[in-house]
Amino acid sequence: MTQRMNVAAVAPEGYRAVAGLAAYVKANVDPTLMHVIELRASIINGCSYCVDLHSRDALAAGEDSRRLFAVGAWEDAPFFTERERAALALTDSATRLGPGGVPDDVWDMAAKLFTEKELADLLLTIGTINVWNRITVPTRAEPPTTA
């Protein structure tokens, strides 16, 4: 596949705005939690560029490869804490928004385990990675073939 467009070159101000939101998230969300959220949403959205990027970032930060591989089947994997499970459930629901939005049980569990500020930051994390996925998938951005 050939990349269709380089959004950063075509709309640099908009691209910088999304990058600014990503910088906010990086400064305000636990990196381990951020990595699993970014990876999960990218898997759901079929974004190979972001799956590659966030997997490499997580590994470089010391994340266990077994946990990363298990993100695709997190509901059955024993590797995640209660908070991570709540964040992953919220990621699934917010990424796959349907007519009913995020179910009350998913929201209530996240609201129980995270402070209001943490929950807001989780939503910003989920929203940000979904924006990146919706930029890279349509433009066919490809991950680098060399490490």
Side-chain angles (χ1 to χ4, degrees):
M1 282 192 303
T2 302
Q3 186 166 338
R4 291 174 169 162
M5 175 191 295
N6 180 339
V7 173
V10 175
E13 189 174 331
Y15 190 89
R16 280 192 302 272
V18 177
L21 186 53
Y24 170 84
V25 164
K26 187 174 184 177
N28 287 280
V29 176
D30 172 80
T32 301
L33 194 54
M34 183 185 69
H35 291 306
V36 297
I37 289 170
E38 291 172 333
L39 184 55
R40 180 62 185 163
S42 297
I43 289 169
I44 291 169
N45 290 322
C47 184
S48 64
Y49 182 91
C50 292
V51 167
D52 176 70
L53 174 69
H54 298 299
S55 296
R56 286 185 293 116
D57 286 351
L59 288 169
E63 181 60 81
D64 182 273
S65 60
R66 290 180 72 201
R67 279 174 40 92
L68 293 180
F69 298 145
V71 166
W74 68 268
E75 293 179 60
D76 298 323
F79 308 118
F80 303 102
T81 67
E82 187 177 23
R83 282 171 52 96
E84 289 169 332
R85 288 180 178 288
L88 287 163
L90 184 61
T91 301
D92 283 9
S93 292
T95 298
R96 294 180 172 131
L97 282 176
V102 173
D104 288 339
D105 63 323
V106 171
W107 180 265
D108 292 344
M109 181 56 71
K112 174 184 161 194
L113 296 171
F114 293 94
T115 67
E116 192 170 41
K117 170 71 164 69
E118 289 172 327
L119 189 52
D121 287 341
L122 288 181
L123 292 173
L124 290 168
T125 303
I126 295 164
T128 302
I129 189 56
N130 276 284
V131 169
W132 285 125
N133 292 164
R134 280 149 179 78
I135 292 170
T136 57
V137 171
T139 61
R140 295 185 176 162
E142 292 184 340
T145 56
T146 58

